[in-house]
């Protein structure tokens, strides 16, 4: 009896998975009802008699995404395919981010936006669609010069994609002193914009390294002397001009007291934070930003994803060795 049942189960699995029959057709072939076929197939999988393998170049990406989610406690990781380590990952990350944001946007949302090369490159990949009652809030000040990578310009272009209301901070991203910053926030109504940002449903953010001439330094926000002193203070990069050390702590440096952007404490209260960035020079700031910001979603490229996991494993290994 047991042998007969085993044979029936394996025959059902063969007809369904190999020959591609429907469960109803399998039932007719074997002389049993559809419920019995379902039970036989389920039992075959439990016993390991049926092994399903997905063969696709995307399989490794799915595995990478799951590993990132598990290791960094993310709700979702999106990994864009990229093969050559010498390539600039901006475009592939931007394309993946554009698809994600297109699906994310809906009526009645308030969206906070940062800035940077990756965010700007995302714009052509976003599906333009009219929405109602949508607000787009820039999370940091702008720059005086008319440049391509301007926080205000990015926020405005993003808002136009959805026929949304745009709220911009009409002040420089970095001012000359903490006193000027305080005066602008308290006396010019700029803090009201940042308070509005606290009501954001989602914040779209990128981060920048400090070892090379990234957007912040090319645009003249941070001088070379400031960059060098930030490195000496332990900074590995920034997001929204919050300069962090490798452990995700804000470094003790005057620049952090002169930036006009949403504070880290306020930003942490935004229910959905999406961090999108990648590249060899951003590994340390990505790890620091994940620690400090605790984003829900990370969008990056596969080489950066592998490096984030490899460096994390290396650090864990050293920690275990030290404990031994």
């Amino acid at each position: 009896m047991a042998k007969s049942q085993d044979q029936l189960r394996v025959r059902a699995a063969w007809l369904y998975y190999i020959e591609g029959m429907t469960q109803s057709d399998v039932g007719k072939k074997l002389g049993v009802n559809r419920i019995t076929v379902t039970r036989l197939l389920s039992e075959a999988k439990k016993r390991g008699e049926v092994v399903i393998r997905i063969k696709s170049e995307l399989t490794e990406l799915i595995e990478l995404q799951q590993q990132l989610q598990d290791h960094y406690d993310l709700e979702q990781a999106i990994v864009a395919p990229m093969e050559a380590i010498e390539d600039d990952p901006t475009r592939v990350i931007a394309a993946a981010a554009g698809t994600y944001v297109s699906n994310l946007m809906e009526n009645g949302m308030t969206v906070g936006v940062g800035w940077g090369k990756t965010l700007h490159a995302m714009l052509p990949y976003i599906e333009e669609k009219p929405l109602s009652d949508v607000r787009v809030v820039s999370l940091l000040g702008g720059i005086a010069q008319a440049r391509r990578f301007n926080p205000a310009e990015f926020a405005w272009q993003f808002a136009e994609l959805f026929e949304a209301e745009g709220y911009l901070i009409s002040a420089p991203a970095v001012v000359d002193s903490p006193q000027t910053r305080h005066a602008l926030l308290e006396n010019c109504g700029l803090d009201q914009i940042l308070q509005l940002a606290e009501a954001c449903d989602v914040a779209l953010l990128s981060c920048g390294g400090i070892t090379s001439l990234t957007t912040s330094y090319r645009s003249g926000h941070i001088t070379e002397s400031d960059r060098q002193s930030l490195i000496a203070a332990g900074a590995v990069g920034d997001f929204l001009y919050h300069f962090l050390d490798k452990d995700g702590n804000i470094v003790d440096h005057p620049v952090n007291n002169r930036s006009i952007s949403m504070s880290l404490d306020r930003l942490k209260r935004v229910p959905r934070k999406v961090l999108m960035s990648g590249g060899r020079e951003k590994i340390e700031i990505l790890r620091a930003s994940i620690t400090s910001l605790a984003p829900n979603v990370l969008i990056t490229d596969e080489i950066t994803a592998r490096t984030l996991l490899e460096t994390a494993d290396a650090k864990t290994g050293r920690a275990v060795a030290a404990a031994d």
Side-chain angles (χ1 to χ4, degrees):
M1 179 69 72
K3 186 174 181 180
S4 175
Q5 189 70 12
D6 289 344
Q7 191 175 56
L8 183 65
R9 185 177 63 250
V10 174
R11 285 189 66 198
W14 179 272
L15 293 171
Y16 182 74
Y17 289 108
I18 304 301
E19 296 193 17
M21 288 187 178
T22 66
Q23 292 188 12
S24 295
D25 289 339
V26 171
K28 291 176 184 177
K29 183 81 171 178
L30 299 180
V32 297
N33 60 39
R34 188 173 179 278
I35 294 175
T36 300
V37 173
T38 301
R39 179 180 56 78
L40 290 169
L41 295 175
S42 176
E43 183 67 15
K45 284 198 287 186
K46 287 181 181 177
R47 288 170 174 262
E49 293 165 342
V50 173
V51 179
I52 300 174
R53 291 187 175 91
I54 302 174
K55 292 190 69 176
S56 167
E57 62 180 13
L58 298 179
T59 305
E60 291 186 7
L61 296 185
I62 300 299
E63 184 179 358
L64 271 177
Q65 289 171 174
Q66 190 60 53
Q67 290 175 344
L68 285 172
Q69 288 167 192
D70 292 343
H71 188 87
Y72 290 103
D73 195 24
L74 301 162
E75 287 183 15
Q76 185 178 6
I78 299 172
V79 177
M82 191 178 99
E83 295 183 2
I85 193 170
E86 66 274 9
D87 289 349
D88 181 358
T90 301
R91 183 181 60 81
V92 297
I93 297 171
T99 300
Y100 174 84
V101 171
S102 298
N103 294 328
L104 175 73
M105 295 298 295
E106 59 185 27
N107 295 329
M109 293 185 73
T110 300
V111 182
V113 295
W115 83 307
K117 185 179 176 182
T118 303
L119 286 172
H120 190 275
M122 173 182 70
L123 290 171
Y125 298 101
I126 297 175
E127 179 186 351
E128 184 176 353
K129 54 185 176 182
L131 295 174
S132 61
D133 193 29
V134 173
R135 293 159 297 280
V136 175
V137 185
S138 181
L139 300 179
L140 73 165
I143 55 178
Q145 299 95 332
R147 293 179 183 263
R148 184 182 178 191
F149 300 117
N150 190 317
E153 181 65 21
F154 169 75
W156 189 256
Q157 289 185 39
F158 184 87
E160 285 191 323
L161 290 172
F162 306 104
E163 298 183 4
E165 294 292 331
Y167 297 85
L168 310 178
I169 298 176
S170 54
V174 180
V175 294
D176 60 349
S177 69
Q179 292 76 20
T180 301
R181 177 184 183 276
H182 178 79
L184 287 170
L185 291 176
E186 297 298 323
N187 302 326
C188 298
L190 299 184
D191 197 48
Q192 294 177 11
I193 303 296
L194 294 177
Q195 287 176 14
L196 175 62
E198 287 191 63
C200 286
D201 301 291
V202 60
L204 305 179
L205 305 162
S206 187
C207 60
I210 198 170
T211 57
S212 61
L213 293 177
T214 55
T215 306
S216 300
Y217 314 112
R218 287 198 305 269
S219 301
H221 282 75
I222 305 296
T223 66
E224 177 60 18
S225 61
D226 279 339
R227 187 176 77 90
Q228 293 295 339
S229 60
L230 279 162
I231 293 173
V236 295
D238 80 291
F239 67 87
L240 296 183
Y241 288 102
H242 300 301
F243 286 86
L244 308 177
D245 65 17
K246 62 182 178 59
D247 298 316
N249 302 310
I250 294 179
V251 299
D252 183 14
H253 192 279
V255 168
N256 278 326
N257 299 319
R258 295 193 281 115
S259 61
I260 296 182
S261 64
M262 191 176 188
S263 71
L264 181 56
D265 288 339
R266 283 177 168 178
L267 196 56
K268 285 180 177 179
R269 292 196 286 268
V270 175
R272 178 163 292 273
K273 297 172 286 291
V274 182
L275 181 62
M276 49 191 85
S277 200
R280 284 175 293 179
E281 78 283 358
K282 295 186 179 181
I283 297 300
E284 285 192 297
I285 185 57
L286 268 170
R287 294 183 69 251
S289 297
I290 293 169
T291 299
S292 179
L293 183 64
N296 308 80
V297 180
L298 173 65
I299 305 176
T300 192
D301 65 277
E302 65 174 303
I303 293 175
T304 298
R306 294 184 194 284
T307 307
L308 283 171
L309 291 168
E310 288 166 2
T311 55
D313 290 342
K315 287 177 179 291
T316 302
R318 286 198 296 271
V320 171
D324 292 344

